[in-house]
Amino acid sequence: MSDSIAGFISDVDEDGALAEVRKALDAGADPLGLVEALRAGMSTVGNRFEAREYFLPDLILSAEIFNQSVALIEPHLKGTGGPSKGSVVIGTVQGDVHDIGKNIVATMLRCAGYEVRDLGIDVAPGSFVDTAKETGASLVALSGLLTVAFDSMKDTVAAFVEAGTRDSVKIIIGGGPVNETVLEYCGADAYGKDPSEAVALAERFLA
Amino acid sequence: MKRTMLYPRDTMTAEERLRAVISLQVPDRVPACPFIYYFAARFAGITVYELWSEPAKYRAAIDRCFEKLGPWDVYYPVNPRCPEVYTFIMPMVARWPGRDLPEDSICQLLEEEVMKAEDYAWTIDLGERWGSLSYIPFFMKMISRAWEHLEDGWRTWAYILPRLAINLAGWRLEFESFKRRGSTVLYGFLPEAAFDSFSLARGLMSFVRDCRDRPAEIARAAEALTDGYYFILRLVTALMGVPRVEIFLHRSSNDFISPKTFDELSFPSLKALVERLVASGIQCVLHCDGNWDRNLERLRELPAGNCVAQFDGPTDIFLAKQVLGDRMCIMGDVPPDMLVLGSPSEVDEYCHRLIEEVGKGGGFIMGAGCEIPPNANPENVKAMIESVARYGYYGTDRVTASRAVAAGFADQLTERSGTGE
């Protein structure tokens, strides 16, 4: 049953996935096992996206199916949806209000089992620092679509240095114009070209 | 009329050169078309709010760029004198510098739902009832929803139409001023394609669901607006005296939709519109944001020698030349990060490669990957614009000459860095 749930998610089949989750819950399946199956399905979606078989709409729709499925499972869970794989603080940096990419990355990270604190848009460097400290997050994801975001990303990295917490976090950056040059300029640890790469970076840094 | 040449070696005017590259003939040299607007504010030391709200300051800022960093061949006009008129092109909620944002911010567009799911049916009906006038009521409704102080109905029309007329009249004056200095103008009007307008107006998340749940409605609604687009584009390009349009395609790249969705939902109405425009003598610049690698083959179906595909970096422009070079002119694509963080010699080297490879045999316009970033290094912008005079001349002695000039330029850059300039 877990295999078929993962299959429906990976095929972006909303009706099939939800029906299968309901059937599994009625049959008394282990709720945590179902969440794992959903995550396995999402992992396949990510692989297909990387292979360019899937496109952004497939990521968005599969994440929606994931969330709807988790909503069905949640009442059956005792406590949380399983152990978190780690905490991530994410936000669009100061001076930029674009949030599509950031929202999709946040959703994909949640689907992959990470606890995500989304600070929204136009986030000041100090907010990233404070929230990382407060949540104990060891991964910080900075998003920006505009070239003016480069300086904000650099300032945010500098704020961690100034607060003396740079060594306790990994900082990743992403967004339209971000590449190796921008990474070097900002002094972050890595960059991701798309949501799938962001999840891969989280796997790498929070393993 | 006097034939003004921008450089001593030129044998064509800027307009002749632009027409030559679009029709895939070999011009005297590669034309340059920097997409400058926000950058002009910073370069001239004024705010974006001043740039857009005070026509004299806009003119002075652009003049300063032209004088210090130019000359360049083709003016890329984006000067929205009225925020609400901006929505006549891009149906989204906008946060405006000096109004909702600090005066020196750039305009930012929000993913809010200004178009409802039921509006597809309304749009199809609109196309049937209003025919060639359908563009205007469609966008008036979107404008009324995007701006809180406007409401649906004749008040929005009364508010927008005079402002649109003033905006266009201002443009016409700007165009004349550019023509007087020997440049030409890229286009007379700049709509967002119908499919892409729906995507922007619905918001990405809703539109993704629409593409899954109501694809036929999207395709029919886009088709229903074709007459309306055609009419407004013919009218405005005639008024502006520029027989070219720019069609924005912000949401049709492989970054946003699959090639299949492009083929089935985006391309058919785009193709129908482009074919009609070309048949009536209007050439089309396709503003292809994002990665178009897997849409390139489809673009071959558009009328040959009458279109420009403008790429902004994610598309492999060298691949685009191979796939499309015999069908349409290619424009682009000096990366924004290079213009901001790179050095003049890096920009020079990249432009040289663009000219040699994408400019081979004509059919190329030098430009940035989309707009010149507001925080671009002016020296980099200058290197990009000047590259067409250094390397861009066509002729038998071109390769030797360009290499010699390149060597001289490298020396010049070394000297500049040596003296701390």
Side-chain angles (χ1 to χ4, degrees), chain B residues 132-352:
Chain B
S132 58
L133 296 178
S134 56
Y135 183 99
I136 300 172
F138 176 81
F139 277 85
M140 288 299 168
K141 189 182 267 295
M142 297 306 120
I143 291 169
S144 69
R145 291 195 185 138
W147 295 94
E148 277 176 9
H149 65 97
L150 296 173
E151 55 191 54
D152 196 12
W154 67 270
R155 283 177 200 278
T156 296
W157 288 61
Y159 185 90
I160 293 294
L161 289 178
R163 286 168 171 78
L164 180 63
I166 291 168
N167 209 135
L168 292 177
W171 270 28
R172 178 79 206 215
L173 293 173
E174 282 168 21
F175 291 3
E176 292 311 314
S177 126
F178 259 84
K179 286 176 186 171
R180 274 197 300 277
R181 64 176 58 153
S183 297
T184 191
V185 178
L186 187 60
Y187 51 79
F189 200 51
L190 65 170
E192 183 82 33
F195 173 87
D196 303 76
S197 292
F198 298 156
S199 178
L200 296 175
R202 289 282 291 138
L204 183 66
M205 299 302 181
S206 299
F207 192 67
V208 163
R209 284 189 286 273
D210 293 346
C211 286
R212 178 190 63 184
D213 300 338
R214 45 181 84 224
E217 266 189 294
I218 294 174
R220 280 187 62 204
E223 188 191 338
L225 288 179
T226 303
D227 281 353
Y229 270 77
Y230 176 68
F231 173 79
I232 194 110
L233 291 175
R234 283 207 65 179
L235 174 69
V236 178
T237 51
L239 290 171
M240 294 293 104
V242 182
R244 291 178 288 271
V245 297
E246 166 128 320
I247 301 176
F248 282 111
L249 296 156
H250 285 106
R251 292 286 176 82
S252 284
S253 71
N254 306 148
D255 294 335
F256 282 102
I257 56 172
S258 67
K260 182 172 180 284
T261 304
F262 177 71
D263 288 350
E264 292 174 358
L265 302 186
S266 170
F267 188 68
S269 55
L270 174 69
K271 184 182 177 191
L273 178 63
V274 170
E275 285 177 342
R276 285 185 68 183
L277 290 166
V278 167
S280 66
I282 298 172
Q283 297 177 313
C284 301
V285 181
L286 308 178
H287 185 99
C288 302
D289 270 357
N291 187 324
W292 281 66
D293 288 353
R294 288 168 71 175
N295 294 345
L296 296 175
E297 280 290 344
R298 186 63 61 198
L299 294 183
R300 288 186 60 79
E301 292 178 22
L302 298 177
N306 279 287
C307 297
V308 179
Q310 181 192 359
F311 299 114
D312 68 342
T315 300
D316 181 345
I317 197 168
F318 303 98
L319 173 71
K321 177 69 173 182
Q322 288 170 30
V323 177
L324 286 174
D326 62 333
R327 299 289 298 178
M328 63 175 68
C329 177
I330 311 276
M331 179 169 163
D333 74 343
V334 184
D337 66 285
M338 187 184 284
L339 289 168
V340 174
L341 301 175
S343 65
S345 57
E346 278 176 89
V347 172
D348 178 72
E349 191 181 332
Y350 186 71
C351 291
H352 193 174

Side-chain angles (χ1 to χ4, degrees), chain B residues 66-77:
Chain B
F66 195 83
E67 185 193 322
K68 302 285 182 192
L69 308 175
W72 61 81
D73 301 275
V74 189
Y75 174 49
Y76 201 127

Side-chain angles (χ1 to χ4, degrees), chain A residues 6-37:
Chain A
F8 281 122
I9 284 261
S10 58
D11 291 340
V12 201
D13 180 342
E14 182 178 354
D15 293 341
L18 295 178
E20 201 66 10
V21 168
R22 285 193 187 97
K23 205 162 86 182
L25 289 169
D26 290 345
D30 169 26
L32 280 179
L34 296 180
V35 173
E36 279 312 308

Side-chain angles (χ1 to χ4, degrees), chain B residues 40-56:
Chain B
R42 195 171 283 209
F43 187 65
I46 60 172
T47 65
V48 174
Y49 173 74
E50 288 173 303
L51 183 80
W52 281 353
S53 60
E54 298 183 43

